[in-house]
Amino acid sequence: MAKALSTRPQAAARPELHLPVFRILVYVFLTLGAILFVSPFVWMITTSMMTPGEIAARKFIPGGKLAGLDPVTEVDWERPLREFLPPRIEAEFRGNHFELAYMAHAEGGTVNVWIDGQVLGVVDTYSDTTETRTFAIDAYPDVPTFSLNQSVQLADTQHQVELEYTSEQSRGAVVWMLGATASRPDGTETTLNVTDFDLPYGEWKIQDDGSIAATARGFPTYLQRCCRDLIGRSSRLQSMPLGEFIRLERPSGSHSTFTTDFIPLGLNTTLGFSERYVVTGSLSHYVKVWGDSNFSEYFVNSTIISILTVIVQTLFSIMAAYAFARMQFPGRDLVFIIFLMTLFVPAMVIIIPNLLTVTMLDRWSVRTLGPIFDSIGDITGTIPLLGRPNAASAKWLDNWPALVWPFAASTFSVFLLRQFFIQIPSELWDAAQIDGAGHLLFLFRIVVPISKAAITTVVLFTFIGTWDALEWPILVTTSDSWRPIAYGLYNFRNSEGNDPQLLMAASMIALLPIVVVYLLAQRQFTEGIATTGLKG
C-alpha cells in the first residue's frame, strides 16, 4: 500500500546570518575618528577647569567645584595678606635655660614653640581663671633633659625661638605673651621683653600692659588651597592687600574678583549698596582671563571687526556673484576665470602689496580727510558710541578700515554664491520683468530671500576667517585699541604660558563665539554646502 503523504507543512529554511563586517569596521573607524577629533576640545574644557595641582598630577577630570562666590568686606579687601597668616614671632637668646611667660585665661588659644627650628611643644593658654604661667626649657651641655614631653639639648650659644599661633587647634580667640627669660649655668640671665621679638607676619599687637596679643584671624577659605604657602614664602606678597593679590599676583591661584552694585527696587540710587565678591572654582579662571591682559578689549575689538567685515564682504559678494551668474556683459566668463585664479595665490604673497596699499591710503586719508573730520567734530561734538570725530578718525592704520576694507571682496564667497544663483530658474526673472522689476529689485526681493542657505554659509566662513586672523592685524595695528582676540590669545600664551588652566580658559573664550555662530547657522550651513552647484 502506498505510503500516505504527510500533510504537515515543512519548516521554512532559516536564512544564513551574514555579518556586515565591512560596514561594522567603517562605523568603528568613523566613531574613533570622531572621538579623536573631539578629544582636543574635551581636553581644553577639562583643563580650563582644573587647578594647577590637578594638572601636575595628570588628572583627566577636575575635582574642584565649578563656581562659587565668597563675599569680602572692604576692610578685609584692603588688609595686608600677612594678617591672614598664622601670627608668628621670633627672638634670639643665649643660654641653655629658657622660660616663656604667658597669661592663661578663658579666651586663650594655643601656640607652637620652636627652638632652633625644632618643634618643642604646644603652649595651651586656655584656663577657666586668669593666671600667669611659664613654659620652661631646661638643658645643659651634653645632658638631655625632659620638659613638656620634649627631650631637648641646648648649649650656651645663640639660639632662635619662634612662636606661632595655631588657630586650627585653639579653643579661644586671643593669646597674650608677656616676655621670656634666658639663663646660663653660671646664673646670669637675659630678659626678653616684648619689644625684643620680631613680628615677621600675622597679626600681633602690643597691649597696654606690654604683652603681645595674637588674634585668630582665619586665612580666607578661597586662598587656602592655592596660595597659603606661596604667601608664606614671599615677603613681597605678604605686604600686599588681599584685593591686589587676588587681582594681580596669583600665578597659581584659582580665583578672581568682580564687584557688583545692588540697587534696591523702588529706592533712590543713593541708597544702593555695593558688595564685593571673590569668584572661586573653575569659573574663576575665565573671570581672571577676561579681566587681565586686556582680553576683554581684544574680544570687543574682534566682535566689531568681524561684524563689519561680514556685512561688507557679504554685500559685495552678493552683488558680484549675481553679476557673474545672471547678467550678460562682454568678457564676463574671462573675467570670472581670471577672478578664480586668485584662489591659487597664497595669502602671504600679497600681504606686503596690501600693506603698501593700505599705508598709502592711510597717508592720503589723514592728509585729505583729516581736516574734514575735525570740522565735523566741531559741529557734532561727542557722538554716543562713536566719540568725537577728529583727524585720527581718518586713519587707516591702527584703525578699523585697515582691518575691514582689504577683505571687502572674497573670491571664495563670490564663487560659492554664483554657483547657487545659477540654479535659480529663469522663469522667476521673466516674471519679475513682467512686473517691472529691474536687476537690483530682483536681487534683493527674490534672489536673496531664496538663497539664505548659501548666504549663511558665506557669513559663517567670513566670520571664522576674520575672528581667527592674526598676521594681518599684527602688521596694521600698533596698539591694543584695535587688536583682535587672536593677538590677545597669542600675547596671553607668552605671558601666562606656565598656567595651562588660564591658557585653556582663554582659548575657550576665543572659541565660544565661533561655536555659537555655527550652532545658530548649522542647518542653513549644511543645506548651503549640500545644494551649491546642483542643477534642478
Side-chain angles (χ1 to χ4, degrees), residues 60-96:
F60 296 98
I61 300 176
K65 61 181 180 180
L66 178 62
L69 288 178
D70 293 328
V72 182
T73 64
E74 191 68 27
V75 175
D76 284 344
W77 187 261
E78 300 297 336
R79 193 181 301 276
L81 282 165
R82 61 175 174 267
E83 297 185 11
F84 291 96
L85 296 175
R88 194 166 183 171
I89 59 177
E90 299 176 356
E92 292 184 353
F93 70 96
R94 292 182 62 87
N96 48 32

Side-chain angles (χ1 to χ4, degrees), residues 304-322 339 343 354 400-418 421 443-444 448 454-469 472:
I304 297 174
I305 295 169
S306 298
I307 292 175
L308 291 176
T309 305
V310 165
I311 294 174
V312 173
Q313 186 179 128
T314 303
L315 180 61
F316 287 171
S317 297
I318 289 174
M319 292 189 294
Y322 178 81
F339 190 66
L343 281 174
N354 285 343
W400 67 268
L403 297 167
V404 174
W405 289 117
F407 305 97
S410 171
T411 306
F412 174 78
S413 299
V414 172
F415 172 75
L416 187 68
L417 292 177
R418 174 188 178 273
F421 291 167
L443 171 62
F444 288 102
V448 170
I455 295 175
T456 301
T457 303
V458 169
V459 169
L460 186 59
F461 279 125
T462 304
F463 180 84
I464 294 175
T466 307
W467 190 268
D468 294 339
W472 179 254

Side-chain angles (χ1 to χ4, degrees), residues 166-304:
T166 56
S167 58
E168 293 84 356
Q169 304 172 10
S170 298
R171 287 174 291 182
V174 183
V175 174
W176 277 279
M177 296 299 162
L178 303 178
T181 301
S183 59
R184 302 184 181 90
D186 59 5
T188 59
E189 294 183 351
T190 301
T191 301
L192 300 179
N193 298 316
V194 293
T195 56
D196 298 323
F197 287 88
D198 293 329
L199 312 180
Y201 55 78
E203 186 177 273
W204 293 84
K205 295 180 180 178
I206 299 180
Q207 305 297 314
D208 294 337
D209 59 0
S211 60
I212 300 177
T215 60
R217 183 180 303 282
F219 201 75
T221 56
Y222 42 84
L223 293 177
Q224 281 280 6
R225 296 181 60 187
C226 75
C227 307
R228 188 169 192 163
D229 294 337
L230 178 68
I231 301 169
R233 290 194 301 265
S234 173
S235 58
R236 181 176 66 89
L237 294 182
Q238 291 175 20
S239 62
M240 285 186 175
L242 175 65
E244 184 177 354
F245 175 77
I246 291 177
R247 184 174 62 255
L248 299 177
E249 301 291 335
R250 192 169 13 87
S252 59
S254 58
H255 24 264
S256 298
T257 61
F258 70 93
T259 338
T260 180
D261 293 328
F262 295 98
I263 306 299
L265 295 178
L267 298 179
N268 190 287
T269 55
T270 58
L271 299 179
F273 58 93
S274 176
E275 192 73 24
R276 190 183 301 272
Y277 289 90
V278 175
V279 183
T280 59
S282 303
L283 182 62
S284 65
H285 301 157
Y286 293 86
V287 177
K288 172 177 171 55
V289 169
W290 183 259
D292 293 357
S293 304
N294 290 333
F295 211 77
S296 57
E297 183 179 0
Y298 297 138
F299 189 94
V300 173
N301 291 343
S302 279
T303 302
I304 297 174

Side-chain angles (χ1 to χ4, degrees), residues 305-531:
I305 295 169
S306 298
I307 292 175
L308 291 176
T309 305
V310 165
I311 294 174
V312 173
Q313 186 179 128
T314 303
L315 180 61
F316 287 171
S317 297
I318 289 174
M319 292 189 294
Y322 178 81
F324 284 126
R326 312 297 303 186
M327 300 178 66
Q328 298 292 335
F329 56 88
R332 183 191 66 173
D333 296 336
L334 178 61
V335 172
F336 184 69
I337 291 175
I338 297 175
F339 190 66
L340 285 181
M341 291 174 60
T342 60
L343 281 174
F344 302 95
V345 179
M348 296 305 296
V349 173
I350 61 175
I351 195 169
I352 298 302
N354 285 343
L355 178 61
L356 296 176
T357 303
V358 169
T359 302
M360 289 187 293
L361 289 172
D362 176 77
R363 295 172 182 171
W364 174 86
S365 181
V366 171
R367 183 175 61 254
T368 306
L369 301 180
I372 299 177
F373 278 98
D374 270 335
S375 301
I376 296 175
D378 294 337
I379 299 174
T380 62
T382 302
I383 302 175
L385 302 179
L386 297 177
R388 182 183 182 277
N390 51 40
S393 304
K395 293 196 310 180
W396 279 55
L397 295 177
D398 203 23
N399 202 359
W400 67 268
L403 297 167
V404 174
W405 289 117
F407 305 97
S410 171
T411 306
F412 174 78
S413 299
V414 172
F415 172 75
L416 187 68
L417 292 177
R418 174 188 178 273
Q419 297 304 108
F420 198 93
F421 291 167
I422 290 177
Q423 305 173 48
I424 298 176
S426 301
E427 290 77 9
L428 291 178
W429 167 242
D430 296 337
Q433 282 185 310
I434 294 174
D435 292 338
H439 284 291
L440 194 61
L441 188 61
F442 176 69
L443 171 62
F444 288 102
R445 294 291 297 273
I446 298 178
V447 175
V448 170
I450 64 178
S451 305
K452 289 182 179 179
I455 295 175
T456 301
T457 303
V458 169
V459 169
L460 186 59
F461 279 125
T462 304
F463 180 84
I464 294 175
T466 307
W467 190 268
D468 294 339
L470 176 61
E471 296 88 354
W472 179 254
I474 290 179
L475 287 176
V476 298
T477 57
T478 56
S479 66
D480 292 340
S481 58
W482 279 105
R483 279 179 170 163
I485 191 75
Y487 175 83
L489 189 61
Y490 168 78
N491 191 45
F492 194 84
R493 183 193 57 137
N494 293 335
S495 59
E496 304 289 346
N498 294 328
D499 291 321
Q501 76 281 3
L502 299 181
L503 184 58
M504 293 302 104
S507 301
M508 284 301 302
I509 292 177
L511 181 64
L512 183 61
I514 297 178
V515 175
V516 172
V517 171
Y518 174 74
L519 292 177
L520 294 176
Q522 180 182 9
R523 184 175 63 84
Q524 291 85 354
F525 170 74
T526 306
E527 181 182 347
I529 292 296
T531 58

